[in-house]
Amino acid sequence: MVKKTSNKDSFYKALGKYHVNPFIINVPKGSLRIVSRLSAKKLKVIDKNADVAREKILIFLNEFNRGHALFLADKLKFDSVDIRSKKISKIFSSKKYKAALELLYDNDILIRSTKNPYKVGDFPKAYKLANEMITKPFVKYTVLSDKLKKNLTTLYADQSRFINDNPIAKSAVDTSKNITLPTEEELIKHAKKLISIEWNNKGKKLAFKRNKTKNDKKIQELRKAGIAENELPKFYYIEDGIKLFKLYTDNGYMLPKIGNFKSGGRVTTSFTLMPKWIRICLKLNNKSIVGVDYSALHPNIASKLWGTGVYIDHQIIADFLDIPIHIAKLEHLKFFNTTKRGMKRLNVYKYYKENQPELLKNLEKTKSKTYKRTSALMFKAEVEIMSEVISRLEKKNLSNSIIYVYDEIMTNKKHAQTVKEVMEQVAIDLGYKLYAKIG
């Protein structure tokens, strides 16, 4: 008699190299002591079994793990942390879910929101951990309740279906089987080479932690000398990058996470969260890789959504404002992700005021309720573009030979030109004036 394959077994098989034991969750270390001390009397509003009630709370707190990962990767400010209440309420039931939230508020695990109640057409309700738990260590916890194990298995099986229905997430899973990771020794050797050529990413130079005191002292001296904050040197420490790399790879890759409306459905993976200097060390099909990305993607998305559709380039703006191009790039990141008041403090505001007044007017209008809506709309457009790119690459049998990194596709050099051509054709077909570059 042939043994029937369980949902869990099928899930493991489908996701190959991913660490997907549904019973192992990651929770804020600071929450464990608080949850363990909650009285059985208080916990009865969640479940008559106090131990099961505690584990339900921990399963809820596991939802913040992605936010913690984004914090470690220095990307939390670009993505919001929401709890998908429908998913979690399957474990609590809607009535007990609300009771659990009150318990978390009253015991300083969550911060009670001071905003108005949810309104139709607004963002889903977001939750915030208290005591800066999101920035402190998360630890593994193994769920023991048989009842909750069944619930978690079902939820993970659902997640596998979401992944298979999403071209970006599915490609991340397919490609993972063909990726070779660098060793720690290789990373250190690579880092030394990058330091020797003064490589930097978004204005940050690589450095070893043994030089941190000296670097901090230099920054302080420059600050006292009156050097502007945006002109001070910035450093990314190699040891922090390697620690992050191990976190996302040592026990298998993290499952692709499909973001909510605030992130435009962006997909987060072990590879999107890796520092760039490490990511370029990956090998795909045992060969080195190169990146293909759109030049000035977000400014040109904004140009189509709110302006005249004219092409915008970082260099054009840098020349107009007489500022270094890396400053123009960094300001653009902030410009679309800040308040109306914050926009006016940036140099690039002057460019848009004089050259793109219609875009600026419409952009400010979208920020009338919340500036985060603007970011959400732009991320949504980015995801639509990249989803179409990956779908077309799948038709060329390349979906398992690419690494998605938000607005960039990394691939072997022999496929780079094909990827570039597909990216530019997708932009044309979707009505964007965008150009892709290799390397």
Side-chain angles (χ1 to χ4, degrees):
M1 184 177 176
V2 179
K3 186 179 178 181
K4 187 178 179 182
T5 305
S6 70
N7 285 341
K8 190 178 81 170
D9 290 339
S10 298
F11 189 62
Y12 288 158
K13 186 177 179 182
L15 296 170
K17 295 174 79 172
Y18 286 78
H19 177 64
V20 290
N21 184 338
F23 315 139
I24 298 177
I25 59 177
N26 292 280
V27 299
K29 186 177 181 180
S31 69
L32 285 174
R33 183 173 60 87
I34 300 173
V35 173
S36 69
R37 291 183 176 183
L38 293 174
S39 69
K41 184 178 179 180
K42 289 181 178 179
L43 290 166
K44 276 185 180 179
V45 297
I46 298 173
D47 195 285
K48 60 184 178 182
N49 184 316
D51 291 332
V52 172
R54 289 188 180 94
E55 289 196 334
K56 284 184 177 184
I57 291 173
L58 295 177
I59 290 169
F60 173 87
L61 295 177
N62 176 63
E63 292 295 300
F64 287 94
N65 188 43
R66 178 172 178 266
H68 178 64
L70 289 166
F71 164 76
L72 292 176
D74 196 28
K75 294 178 181 177
L76 184 58
K77 57 183 173 292
F78 298 119
D79 209 341
S80 57
V81 182
D82 280 5
I83 302 300
R84 295 187 176 185
S85 57
K86 287 182 181 178
K87 174 183 170 183
I88 301 300
S89 64
K90 288 181 181 179
I91 290 176
F92 285 99
S93 83
S94 58
K95 186 177 179 181
K96 292 182 179 179
Y97 175 46
K98 292 176 181 177
L101 287 175
E102 288 301 316
L103 199 59
L104 294 174
Y105 290 135
D106 293 342
N107 287 276
D108 296 327
I109 295 175
L110 292 182
I111 295 174
R112 194 181 294 275
S113 176
T114 56
K115 293 184 178 180
N116 294 328
Y118 170 75
K119 295 178 180 178
V120 175
D122 204 351
F123 287 132
K125 187 172 182 179
Y127 299 94
K128 186 176 180 182
L129 283 173
N131 305 315
E132 296 183 335
M133 286 185 193
I134 201 78
T135 67
K136 295 175 181 176
F138 273 51
V139 294
K140 293 188 183 302
Y141 175 87
T142 302
V143 175
L144 301 176
S145 162
D146 290 335
K147 176 186 174 183
L148 294 179
K149 282 182 178 181
K150 288 180 181 177
N151 288 335
L152 287 170
T153 300
T154 301
L155 288 175
Y156 268 69
D158 287 344
Q159 190 173 2
S160 76
R161 285 191 285 274
F162 294 143
I163 288 170
N164 285 326
D165 290 341
N166 183 295
I168 295 174
K170 185 176 182 296
S171 171
V173 170
D174 292 343
T175 298
S176 69
K177 302 163 190 172
N178 302 325
I179 291 175
T180 304
L181 300 172
T183 64
E184 186 170 347
E185 287 181 345
E186 288 171 336
L187 287 176
I188 291 172
K189 183 178 178 181
H190 173 65
K192 288 178 178 177
K193 182 180 177 181
L194 292 177
I195 290 171
S196 71
I197 61 173
E198 297 186 343
W199 181 90
N200 76 82
N201 182 40
K202 295 178 181 176
K204 287 187 177 182
K205 298 178 181 179
L206 283 181
F208 285 98
K209 275 198 168 177
R210 60 176 177 262
N211 295 318
K212 189 176 187 306
T213 301
K214 182 176 73 174
N215 292 336
D216 289 347
K217 185 178 178 181
K218 181 182 177 181
I219 291 169
Q220 288 300 327
E221 289 172 351
L222 291 171
R223 189 176 280 128
K224 287 178 181 177
I227 303 299
E229 285 295 320
N230 63 357
E231 294 179 9
L232 293 173
K234 296 180 178 62
F235 298 94
Y236 186 95
Y237 290 98
I238 289 153
E239 292 86 347
D240 291 337
I242 291 175
K243 182 180 178 182
L244 199 62
F245 170 73
K246 288 181 174 181
L247 177 67
Y248 301 132
T249 60
D250 273 0
N251 295 313
Y253 305 130
M254 66 174 278
L255 285 172
K257 277 277 192 178
I258 302 164
N260 52 39
F261 176 72
K262 280 188 180 180
S263 68
R266 268 184 160 191
V267 178
T268 306
T269 70
S270 288
F271 310 111
T272 63
L273 292 173
M274 278 180 196
K276 184 173 183 178
W277 72 270
I278 290 180
R279 197 163 51 236
I280 57 181
C281 279
L282 301 175
K283 287 192 175 179
L284 190 52
N285 301 312
N286 294 316
K287 294 180 181 178
S288 60
I289 57 175
V290 66
V292 187
D293 68 337
Y294 288 113
S295 297
L297 175 63
H298 282 196
N300 285 291
I301 286 176
S303 182
K304 178 180 184 285
L305 293 180
W306 301 297
T308 60
V310 67
Y311 180 68
I312 299 173
D313 181 74
H314 292 306
Q315 189 64 59
I316 292 171
I317 293 176
D319 292 344
F320 177 84
L321 297 170
D322 194 25
I323 59 175
I325 190 167
H326 78 272
I327 297 295
K329 288 181 178 180
L330 287 172
E331 285 209 358
H332 255 141
L333 282 175
K334 297 175 184 177
F335 189 71
F336 299 111
N337 293 285
T338 188
T339 61
K340 288 191 283 186
R341 184 179 295 178
M343 287 166 59
K344 292 178 181 178
R345 297 194 189 108
L346 299 169
N347 289 307
V348 293
Y349 183 86
K350 182 181 178 183
Y351 170 84
Y352 284 102
K353 187 176 181 179
E354 294 190 23
N355 297 276
Q356 297 280 334
E358 183 180 342
L359 186 156
L360 191 60
K361 180 182 176 182
N362 292 330
L363 183 63
E364 289 180 329
K365 196 179 291 182
T366 69
K367 294 174 184 270
S368 59
K369 286 187 176 180
T370 168
Y371 70 92
K372 293 180 181 179
R373 183 169 293 279
T374 307
S375 303
L377 292 170
M378 294 181 74
F379 285 140
K380 182 184 177 184
E382 175 200 293
V383 170
E384 287 172 349
I385 293 168
M386 299 307 287
S387 295
E388 182 60 25
V389 166
I390 290 175
S391 294
R392 294 191 190 185
L393 289 173
E394 183 177 14
K395 292 176 182 177
K396 294 178 179 288
N397 297 316
L398 290 177
S399 66
N400 63 350
S401 297
I402 58 175
I403 301 173
Y404 159 84
V405 190
Y406 300 130
D407 61 348
E408 179 183 40
I409 299 289
M410 304 194 81
T411 188
N412 297 131
K413 291 179 181 178
K414 69 175 182 178
H415 300 312
Q417 186 59 34
T418 300
V419 171
K420 179 179 185 294
E421 290 169 2
V422 169
M423 289 175 73
E424 291 188 336
Q425 188 58 51
V426 166
I428 291 169
D429 294 345
L430 296 182
Y432 293 93
K433 287 185 180 177
L434 289 166
Y435 302 95
K437 63 181 186 299
I438 301 172

